[in-house]
Amino acid sequence: MSHAGDRSPAATLTLLDATMVGIGAMIGAGIFVLTGLAVETAGPAAIAVFALNGGVTTFTALSYAELASAIPRNGGGYAYVREVFSAPVAFVMGWTRWFTYMIAGALYALGFSSNFIEFGHIFGVDLPGGVLFWAATVVVVFVTLNAVSTAASGSAETVITLVKILILVVFVAFGLQFVDLGEFQPFFRRGDPLTILPAMGLTFIAFQGYDLIATVTEEVEDPERNIPRAIILSVVTTVVVYLLVVFVALGTLGAEGLSGAGETAIAQAAEGFMPTFPVIGTGAALIAFGAVFSTISALNAVVIGSSRVAFAMGREAQLPRRLGRLHHRFGTPFVAIVVSAVVMLVAVAVVPIRVVGNLASLFSLLGFTIVNLSVIRLRRQQPDLRRPFEVPYYPATPILGIVLNLLLGAFIDLTTWLLALGWLAFGAVVYVALSRRERDRMPEPPETGEPEISEPEVTISTED
Amino acid sequence: MTESLRVIVAGGGDVGLRTAELLDDRGHDVVLIERDPDQSERVAAEYVASIIEGDASRPAVLRQAQPDRCDAIAALTDSESTNFAICMAAQRMADLHTVMRIDGDPDELYPQYVDGTVSTASLTARVAVNEVVGGGVRSIEEVGGKVEILEVEVAPDAPAAGKTLAEVRFPRGSLIIVDAEGQRIGGPETELTPGERFLVAVESAVTDEVMNLLRG
């Protein structure tokens, strides 16, 4: 017998919740995992790297805000591009967005496990198993959680993100007084300002989480106003937090110390100046805890993000349709989550962390270029479309977005480009195969009769 | 297949907005065209459709809704002639299913030009009658302006109550289709048990006779 549904529907998100969805996906990776790598590449100029990346990403964030206010669809950047461009372009967008989320998941998982092991060290515990073991474990745990429950989003995420921000605020508050401006000399590594560009490419991934807000639009209250606000607020907040944290880390530990510390750079900086807290122990323990906590919640966010993109593509038959179905019992895009998880695990196992960062950044840059193009094309195609939020200084803003995104992409190394092209080529094969299959499935269109638009009611039965 | 449709809704008044909401609830993508900025703001607040601000009967506006990518168009403004013009223009731009709202008597040649017509007047009237008359008889659908599908509960003291269809002579122009649970197609042995509900197709000329037989 059918009975009334008992699975709770998705929560309604306020402006604060929606903003925290974006911040949650951004803060976590960039700051804890990539600070060390950025300093290694660019020296103290890493702070300029974060500032400039914030500027670059703002152009795209404005484009996102305009599209999200005008096009009421879940599915993020992919859904907007699908609205504006032909199928192959939309496929490239979805394919790269999907991959970005999965690879970002791998990055966060690796960041988590380094910090988790470090966390153990602080308390004098040697955790068994290596970095890979813990990275794979955390992916499996969070994928399982998301596969069987839709309760992952909502106010719990808001609290978690606020805690993340709070820990970083504590870090900054204690650290500011110990900052030695001498550590910023010489500003550029080897005196070469151009080292900034590859470092920007490497860390760009830390600035792309606001895309996730665009995948939950229909759950946000008063969406046409709140989504543009949430996107912009989350970018601004994130950039401010990044700059403060990087400033303190550089000013206290110095460029040499940071680049040596890799993924645990911030925790090591904290060790230098943080006082001892009751219960938690040293300041380094607090930061290591923050890093573990942040990478976990960022990982959770991208697991949701990747499955939503795959789900949207499955609905449009741009990926196998099975990915576009909800699980009959859990109500989650089960197949989409599992497939995403498998790719994430492979990335964790075989790709080194620096390449992972580069690859995710490159795909973000390509995807964001298409998003900016969409704004321009939509303005031309549909001049009378209602746009509750409009990009200021159009067309300069999206054009600058495109140019800067491509410029950063150009400074990412050749290996990454080759890997990226490989993934795109694989995508092309999938695309061609799928459109063949779709064509075979489609019966010949009837010569006379009217198109069939009365489809049977979709009954979601909860029968056991 | 649960594939989602792309639908253009022309006219963002109460009818257009509600249609867009229902379509969105079922997972379809809607582009709504509305001329009045205040009204379009009201629609935008619902976040169920992207909105083109303009007069849908102008091809330059209609084309922005991309009929070539859409499966259907519903012209639901309060002007019948505008709706007809919109459907004609859309058909010229692309091959899609057209539905128009009419308010007066339908022109008998409409079916040759549009795929579906919706008469707000007769829909409202039917629901009003259901509400007024209440239990026992519900109008389900009107077909072609003359035939109505009714759901009728057999009254205990009605002339036909407890008889089989073979025993009762219904007027020409009426047909007992099926019992309301959808169990059996009406046949000679079907018994009109009191309290059971049946779907009945009737021509308007004989509705009162059939009512008399089934309701008393």
Side-chain angles (χ1 to χ4, degrees), chain A residues 68 75 140 163 198 440:
Chain A
V140 169
V163 170
D440 292 345

Side-chain angles (χ1 to χ4, degrees), chain A residues 14-24 213 229-231 233-234 237:
Chain A
T14 62
L15 174 61
L16 179 70
D17 293 328
T19 310
M20 289 301 152
V21 166
I23 295 179
I213 301 173
R229 284 184 197 159
I231 289 174
L233 270 177
S234 68
T237 315

Side-chain angles (χ1 to χ4, degrees), chain A residues 157-326:
Chain A
E157 180 71 25
T158 304
V159 174
I160 291 173
T161 306
L162 284 173
V163 170
K164 277 158 63 165
I165 296 174
L166 187 72
I167 291 176
L168 289 172
V169 166
V170 170
F171 172 82
V172 170
F174 279 104
L176 269 180
Q177 46 189 321
F178 296 99
V179 169
D180 172 13
L181 288 178
E183 297 284 1
F184 290 90
Q185 298 295 336
F187 192 57
F188 295 109
R189 190 158 174 261
R190 295 190 308 265
D192 180 8
L194 278 184
T195 51
I196 286 186
L197 286 166
M200 281 176 76
L202 177 66
T203 53
F204 190 75
I205 181 164
F207 295 84
Q208 54 104 34
Y210 54 84
D211 176 79
L212 202 64
I213 301 173
T215 63
V216 296
T217 49
E218 289 182 3
E219 290 144 43
V220 177
E221 60 181 26
D222 197 5
E224 56 149 1
R225 260 185 280 281
N226 279 340
I227 289 164
R229 284 184 197 159
I231 289 174
I232 292 160
L233 270 177
S234 68
V235 169
V236 171
T237 315
T238 303
V239 171
V240 169
V241 171
Y242 280 179
L243 288 180
L244 286 171
V245 170
V246 174
F247 180 70
V248 167
L250 273 169
T252 53
L253 192 57
E256 286 304 313
L258 278 180
S259 49
E263 295 101 74
T264 56
I266 302 292
Q268 304 227 351
E271 207 149 359
F273 60 78
M274 295 278 266
T276 307
F277 295 93
V279 186
I280 314 168
T282 64
L286 178 70
I287 295 302
F289 172 72
V292 167
F293 197 59
S294 301
T295 43
I296 280 188
S297 90
L299 174 65
N300 191 41
V302 295
V303 167
I304 296 172
S306 63
S307 62
R308 296 234 175 173
V309 176
F311 180 73
M313 291 180 80
R315 296 283 302 171
E316 297 275 343
Q318 290 210 314
L319 281 180
R321 282 180 187 279
R322 294 173 63 92
L323 273 65
R325 305 238 174 94
L326 291 178

Side-chain angles (χ1 to χ4, degrees), chain A residues 68 82-83 382-384 386, chain B residues 6 47 51 53 64 69:
Chain A
R82 183 80 190 87
E83 190 68 25
Q382 304 184 11
D384 296 324
R386 192 184 156 80
Chain B
R6 272 184 75 95
Y47 209 64
I51 300 158
E53 267 181 15
Q64 291 181 40
R69 292 186 58 192

